[in-house]
Amino acid sequence: MGRVRISDVAAAAGVSTSTVSLVLNDRDVRIPHETRERVRRAAAEVGYSPNTVARGLRMQRTRTIGLISDTIATTPFAGRMLAGAQDAAREHGYLVFLVDTESDPQVEQDAIRALTGQQVDAMIYAAMWHRVVDVPKGLPAGTVFLDCRPATGDFSAVVPDDREGGVSAVRELVAAGHRRIAYLDVDEPEPPVASALRHEGYLAVLAEAGIEPDPALHVRGETSAAGGRQTTERLLDLPADRRPTAIFCFNDRMAAGVYVAAHRRGLEIPRDLSVVGYDDQQLVAGELDPPLTTIALPHYEMGRWATEVALGVRAHEAPRSTRLMPCPIVRRDSVSSPPAAATNSSRRRA
Amino acid sequence: MGRVRISDVAAAAGVSTSTVSLVLNDRDVRIPHETRERVRRAAAEVGYSPNTVARGLRMQRTRTIGLISDTIATTPFAGRMLAGAQDAAREHGYLVFLVDTESDPQVEQDAIRALTGQQVDAMIYAAMWHRVVDVPKGLPAGTVFLDCRPATGDFSAVVPDDREGGVSAVRELVAAGHRRIAYLDVDEPEPPVASALRHEGYLAVLAEAGIEPDPALHVRGETSAAGGRQTTERLLDLPADRRPTAIFCFNDRMAAGVYVAAHRRGLEIPRDLSVVGYDDQQLVAGELDPPLTTIALPHYEMGRWATEVALGVRAHEAPRSTRLMPCPIVRRDSVSSPPAAATNSSRRRA
DNA sequence: TCAAGGTGTTCAATCGATTTAGCAGACCTA
DNA sequence: TAGGTCTGCTAAATCGATTGAACACCTTGA
């Protein structure tokens, strides 16, 4: 237990607590090697480990960091983000306080008070979906926003580069020879910012490939396998020459629905229809048959980045800026070249 | 920021810091209402919030709790467990330090030192799979084990009641009229303790229903959809009168494989084959078609329980005991009565 | 008038570390 | 021998709160 105090070490080594502190913290003070050794041995013998609360009080620096998250239970991403933050913190000798607010403003306020009361050296405000958030009152100046951007104020933030993610996905399909590529988007009253960003990427790639975007191929559905299935069915109902040969989905769950719709029509993936998802959810993308090519969300990296910036160990980083973290493509087996007929038909159209 | 000290409040209210402390902590000391009000107003005006580091040092009580977890990134369960711990801690005014060790013994040792150094009031040692763990050196006496049991020593622990979970699952199938029920178990060199416990429950229900267990129906496969599919195929290769009409799966991912195998044979779930999973993984069980009936793992509840016991707010609980947390059944649409043919055949056999 | 008792508030010690200024004593030099 | 320098170590202040002891001041009763 934390029973052993520095004075116990001092007594055991026959010196003052000052000397013990000086030695154990490797201060540049003239203390002969022999004494240093004696102190260190004494500390080890009595099993001393410093009381960091006392140290924190004296040093005005607690080596702790507060992480406020809007949820941790309801998304599979939280763990990776926490792990990234966690690892970065540990590497620099920090401990992290985790608070889950479930988006309750009262809990959030209490959390901010509690964490500042704890004298945390840095604070991270995390969301589990890329979005714009109001800055809660009382947030300290150096707070870093993780997977969200503050609506106002001058803060550092890190979010996934959803536009480039869309680019990678669609470029993969174009590179395989597809020209009729659908974007299976989300259908929500307030769509997540990722929705529009990925669409931007989609359009950019079409443009660079000289493909005229077809509005009929930008469809929206519920964010679920069922939603993906239904929307895909509408897509497959299109006349043969307007039907997509590839679908870029807003997320992996919707992509799972694409698989179902395709199978019901006797279409084989990727032979008859190529699919790219988003999120790289292991339980979905990895378990589908064939495994789904998708775009990974860099939650671990964002967690790391946010922590490192919060701790100030990324001095070269532009201060108070928003970092767009790359979303790498994860190639599996759901993309191939389009079926010959479609290729022909598109050639005919060209 | 934590700039405002109690002395600032004292100055603003024209009293000593003692008085401020007495008032703000509602001590039973004769201080007239008028002064109390004045102090409180001053505190609010200057925006005082106490430095809990200083308080912790003085009180020898930090109102923090340390949670050491073997992983948080690689399982979808971690979030629920953390949320449970988190909620319980918050309700009692505690903040939680989270450390993710990735099962690295060195990291674990460092974490224990760091947390005891932080003078945490309680400690929780969590695993993400129900298993028996070696007790790391230096763990304080009151540590509570979460989702794991200590191999030695006298500790409180909470784990899922996997035996009863197996009972619920199989009873559900028996109640629907099934008599040929397979247990699709995991196939690993060191199977998780849940494997045997659920099998116990399975056997118990068969016994209570007067069903002779058929060893051919206890099969093992890889824990994945692919493993579930392959193993199910072997099951479906059995002669018609020995073939199962229902399958109880070790987990939902394997159950997803059962669906695939069934569909490939033209079998419809639940008409031709009933399925019960385990884990209640939203992304799997909820997205399958039809949605999967399964047994939920009580991670949130276990997280709560462990925290409450660690904080000593569950005095009535037997000390240093292992709590088996019930695994409730989640009824969806993958169970129905067996096909008529099978019922007849089993009647014939009787 | 004075002791006793009550009321309102403060003094000062305390928690366990860190750190600066400074003190003995050894040694050196003129 | 006195003064200066160097070496090795420690005294004491400090961080910001809490709290038991104690101190003024007022009232009351004999």
Side-chain angles (χ1 to χ4, degrees):
Chain A
M1 241 64 49
R3 298 273 56 120
V4 185
R5 295 181 306 283
I6 195 171
S7 57
D8 298 320
V9 180
V15 295
S16 71
T17 60
S18 315
T19 306
V20 176
S21 174
L22 262 12
V23 168
L24 261 26
N25 292 300
D26 277 317
R27 294 283 116 159
D28 254 344
V29 176
R30 298 262 95 232
I31 293 176
H33 190 72
E34 201 255 311
T35 308
R36 300 192 106 102
E37 270 315 296
R38 188 151 39 89
V39 169
R40 272 194 261 268
R41 238 173 311 148
E45 262 164 33
V46 299
Y48 173 68
S49 97
N51 181 326
T52 40
V53 174
R55 175 186 285 168
L57 176 59
R58 176 62 230 255
M59 309 262 274
Q60 300 294 80
R61 189 143 173 285
T62 53
R63 297 197 146 264
T64 61
I65 173 172
L67 197 158
I68 298 181
S69 163
D70 64 346
T71 176
I72 52 175
T74 55
T75 123
F77 306 130
R80 304 230 305 279
M81 214 137 99
L82 289 177
Q86 181 55 71
D87 284 356
R90 188 185 50 236
E91 282 165 23
H92 294 94
Y94 281 74
L95 237 26
V96 4
F97 277 117
L98 173 67
V99 182
D100 174 20
T101 67
E102 292 300 325
S103 301
D104 180 327
Q106 185 54 55
V107 172
E108 200 167 273
Q109 281 302 308
D110 292 349
I112 292 172
R113 280 188 89 81
L115 290 173
T116 52
Q118 282 287 347
Q119 314 293 113
V120 294
D121 295 333
M123 202 119 111
I124 294 175
Y125 186 88
M128 287 305 158
W129 313 101
H130 178 181
R131 56 197 174 90
V132 174
V133 295
D134 292 330
V135 179
K137 284 176 57 165
L139 259 198
T143 299
V144 177
F145 285 73
L146 174 49
D147 204 7
C148 56
R149 318 169 70 135
T152 58
D154 199 20
F155 294 96
S156 286
V158 56
V159 295
D161 191 346
D162 280 299
R163 186 183 187 283
E164 272 306 304
V167 165
S168 305
V170 180
R171 209 171 259 161
E172 180 79 0
L173 293 168
V174 167
H178 294 273
R179 303 194 55 87
R180 298 206 51 77
I181 301 169
Y183 176 35
L184 179 36
D185 204 349
V186 292
D187 184 20
E188 279 174 28
E190 275 187 57
V193 307
S195 161
L197 289 170
R198 293 175 196 172
H199 187 224
E200 268 184 38
Y202 164 83
L203 292 178
V205 174
L206 294 193
E208 91 190 7
I211 302 173
E212 180 72 21
D214 178 349
L217 294 186
H218 181 200
V219 291
R220 294 178 180 275
E222 218 180 80
T223 16
S224 66
R229 182 176 55 68
Q230 287 158 16
T231 316
T232 302
E233 272 160 7
R234 284 197 279 121
L235 238 23
L236 297 179
D237 282 339
L238 254 26
D241 64 332
R242 301 200 55 204
R243 199 180 296 153
T245 61
I247 303 182
F248 166 42
C249 302
F250 180 75
N251 68 24
D252 292 347
R253 293 168 66 202
M254 298 176 85
V258 173
Y259 276 54
V260 175
H263 290 154
R264 290 200 178 176
R265 303 243 174 167
L267 299 180
E268 197 178 295
I269 292 170
R271 194 194 58 195
D272 305 312
L273 185 67
S274 290
V275 186
V276 177
Y278 215 112
D279 290 358
D280 192 29
Q281 293 200 354
Q282 304 301 328
L283 280 175
V284 181
E287 298 283 7
L288 285 172
D289 182 22
L292 178 69
T293 291
T294 189
I295 307 293
L297 247 13
H299 284 108
Y300 181 87
E301 291 74 14
M302 294 196 298
R304 274 201 94 87
W305 189 94
T307 305
E308 287 170 358
V309 168
L311 294 181
V313 296
R314 265 179 176 274
H316 53 292
E317 206 82 27
R320 312 287 158 108
S321 60
T322 293
R323 168 72 193 268
L324 299 178
M325 193 63 74
C327 299
I329 186 165
V330 179
R331 292 195 176 83
R332 288 196 269 250
D333 308 316
S334 61
V335 174
S336 73
S337 47
T343 315
N344 291 347
S345 103
S346 83
R347 285 221 183 101
R348 248 200 335 270
R349 291 168 56 85
Chain B
M1 241 64 48
R3 298 273 56 123
V4 185
R5 295 181 305 286
I6 195 171
S7 56
D8 298 320
V9 179
V15 295
S16 72
T17 60
S18 315
T19 305
V20 176
S21 174
L22 263 11
V23 169
L24 261 25
N25 292 298
D26 277 318
R27 294 281 117 160
D28 253 344
V29 176
R30 299 262 96 234
I31 293 176
H33 191 71
E34 201 255 311
T35 308
R36 300 193 104 104
E37 270 315 296
R38 187 152 39 89
V39 168
R40 271 194 263 267
R41 236 172 314 142
E45 262 163 34
V46 300
Y48 173 68
S49 95
N51 181 325
T52 39
V53 174
R55 176 186 282 168
L57 177 59
R58 176 63 231 255
M59 309 263 272
Q60 300 293 82
R61 192 145 171 285
T62 54
R63 296 198 148 264
T64 61
I65 172 172
L67 197 159
I68 297 180
S69 165
D70 64 346
T71 176
I72 52 175
T74 54
T75 124
F77 306 129
R80 305 231 303 281
M81 213 137 97
L82 289 177
Q86 181 55 69
D87 284 358
R90 187 183 52 236
E91 281 165 24
H92 294 95
Y94 280 73
L95 237 28
V96 3
F97 278 117
L98 173 66
V99 183
D100 174 18
T101 67
E102 292 300 325
S103 301
D104 179 326
Q106 186 54 55
V107 173
E108 201 167 272
Q109 281 302 309
D110 293 348
I112 292 172
R113 280 188 88 82
L115 290 173
T116 52
Q118 282 287 347
Q119 313 293 113
V120 295
D121 294 334
M123 202 118 113
I124 294 175
Y125 186 88
M128 287 305 157
W129 313 101
H130 177 180
R131 55 198 176 89
V132 174
V133 295
D134 292 329
V135 179
K137 284 176 60 166
L139 260 198
T143 300
V144 177
F145 285 73
L146 173 50
D147 204 8
C148 56
R149 320 169 68 136
T152 57
D154 199 20
F155 294 95
S156 285
V158 56
V159 295
D161 191 346
D162 281 299
R163 187 182 186 284
E164 272 305 306
V167 165
S168 305
V170 180
R171 211 173 256 161
E172 180 79 359
L173 293 167
V174 167
H178 294 273
R179 303 194 54 88
R180 299 206 49 78
I181 302 169
Y183 175 35
L184 179 35
D185 203 348
V186 293
D187 183 21
E188 280 174 28
E190 276 188 56
V193 307
S195 160
L197 289 170
R198 293 174 195 171
H199 188 224
E200 266 185 40
Y202 165 84
L203 292 177
V205 174
L206 294 193
E208 90 189 8
I211 301 174
E212 180 72 21
D214 179 350
L217 295 186
H218 180 200
V219 291
R220 295 178 179 275
E222 217 181 81
T223 17
S224 66
R229 182 177 55 69
Q230 286 157 16
T231 316
T232 303
E233 272 161 7
R234 284 197 279 121
L235 238 23
L236 297 179
D237 282 339
L238 254 25
D241 64 332
R242 302 200 54 203
R243 200 179 295 155
T245 62
I247 304 182
F248 166 42
C249 301
F250 181 76
N251 68 25
D252 292 348
R253 293 168 66 203
M254 298 177 86
V258 172
Y259 275 55
V260 174
H263 290 152
R264 292 202 174 174
R265 304 243 173 167
L267 299 180
E268 197 179 296
I269 291 172
R271 193 193 59 194
D272 305 312
L273 185 66
S274 289
V275 186
V276 177
Y278 215 112
D279 290 358
D280 192 29
Q281 294 200 351
Q282 304 301 328
L283 281 175
V284 181
E287 299 282 7
L288 285 172
D289 182 23
L292 178 69
T293 291
T294 190
I295 306 293
L297 247 13
H299 284 108
Y300 181 87
E301 291 74 14
M302 294 196 297
R304 273 201 96 86
W305 190 93
T307 305
E308 288 171 357
V309 168
L311 294 181
V313 296
R314 265 178 177 273
H316 52 292
E317 206 81 25
R320 312 288 158 106
S321 59
T322 294
R323 169 74 191 268
L324 299 177
M325 193 65 74
C327 300
I329 187 165
V330 179
R331 291 197 175 81
R332 288 196 269 250
D333 308 315
S334 61
V335 173
S336 73
S337 47
T343 316
N344 292 347
S345 102
S346 83
R347 283 221 185 100
R348 246 201 335 270
R349 291 169 56 83

